[in-house]
Structures are given as structure tokens and as C-alpha cells.
Amino acid sequence: MSVIKDEKKLLSTIKRIDEKIDKNNDQKIVAFFESLGLTEREDVPKNFLDWDTILIVVPDRHISHELKYYKYSISRLFFVTNPYADQIHIYDFDQWKSVTRNKTQFQIREMMRTSFGGVKKNTSEND
């Protein structure tokens, strides 16, 4: 005998509530991205809500610290600081995981120079 009177009803109620939570979280993500100006940019994929987790690449620790609160109040967001990035970028976190799997920190840092928001600097700019 089960402690739960009607497990099927409970599971269906939980599923409906979870769907509402997911919908509200999607609204939070869109509002957050709008406030960052990401939804207006051409280089930002429009299907970001389809991703399980969204990787947000920020160019410096100051921005990362400023956005830290949203990391905890909006689920499905993951932040990475890329000092080689010129602006905030978003990617599918699954793509990040597959590219960085089995790599050392040094290899990841080198990879970030030209990918995940990294911009290769012209040597003439440094002269």
C-alpha cells in the first residue's frame, strides 16, 4: 500500500506546475537578454530558448560580478569569463561541454582566444 493516495494525479499536477515554471523562466531569460541588448543583435541566435542550458560569455570579471545575481535567480544560465571577448556572447552550453571535454585549463584558455567570443587581435593594433 502506497502512502500517496493518488500518485498519478500528483505526478500530473507536478508536471503542470513544472511546465508553468519553465514558461516563467523562459520569460525571465528573454527579459534578461533584452536588458542586455542581446535580442537586438544579429549575431545572437534566435533559438536560444531551445537549448537546455545557455552559456553566457562575458568579456571581464567586472561584468561577470555585475551579472552574478541573475546567475542564481534565473535557471538554465551558465557564465564564463573570456578576457579575449569584445562583448557578451551566448552559446549552447552542450556545445561548450563537448568542445572543452578532456582539455586542460591552459588548452581551454588558448581555445578561447579565437572561439566562444574570442577575437583574434591584429598585430598591427599592438604596435
Side-chain angles (χ1 to χ4, degrees), residues 6-86:
D6 188 348
E7 187 174 8
K8 195 172 185 177
K9 181 179 178 183
L10 173 63
L11 291 174
S12 119
T13 302
I14 290 172
K15 184 178 178 182
R16 274 195 327 273
I17 293 169
D18 282 344
E19 287 169 355
K20 289 177 186 176
I21 290 170
D22 288 344
K23 195 174 204 172
N24 287 337
N25 192 64
D26 285 352
Q27 291 174 341
K28 284 187 195 178
I29 291 170
V30 169
F32 181 58
F33 285 4
E34 284 174 352
S35 73
L36 294 174
L38 295 175
T39 54
E40 300 163 7
R41 287 185 15 206
E42 291 295 321
D43 64 321
V44 174
K46 303 304 179 208
N47 66 333
F48 57 83
L49 290 177
D50 296 339
W51 303 335
D52 289 333
T53 304
I54 302 167
L55 173 68
I56 301 176
V57 177
V58 297
D60 60 52
R61 288 192 173 124
H62 173 72
I63 294 172
S64 179
H65 183 70
E66 187 178 336
L67 301 178
K68 185 166 58 171
Y69 166 78
Y70 302 100
K71 173 183 181 178
Y72 301 114
S73 64
I74 305 172
S75 60
R76 295 180 43 211
L77 298 181
F78 187 86
F79 288 81
V80 169
T81 302
N82 182 355
Y84 305 106
D86 59 344

Side-chain angles (χ1 to χ4, degrees), residues 75-125:
S75 60
R76 295 180 43 211
L77 298 181
F78 187 86
F79 288 81
V80 169
T81 302
N82 182 355
Y84 305 106
D86 59 344
Q87 59 186 340
I88 296 173
H89 297 276
I90 64 168
Y91 300 95
D92 185 347
F93 183 71
D94 290 339
Q95 179 188 10
W96 167 260
K97 282 192 321 190
S98 70
V99 170
T100 58
R101 186 175 295 123
N102 299 324
K103 290 204 177 356
T104 65
Q105 277 188 324
F106 177 76
Q107 290 171 321
I108 292 170
R109 228 176 310 152
E110 289 301 307
M111 174 200 68
M112 290 177 73
R113 286 182 187 270
T114 56
S115 61
F116 291 99
V119 179
K120 193 168 189 140
K121 305 285 186 202
N122 286 338
T123 53
S124 60
E125 289 180 9

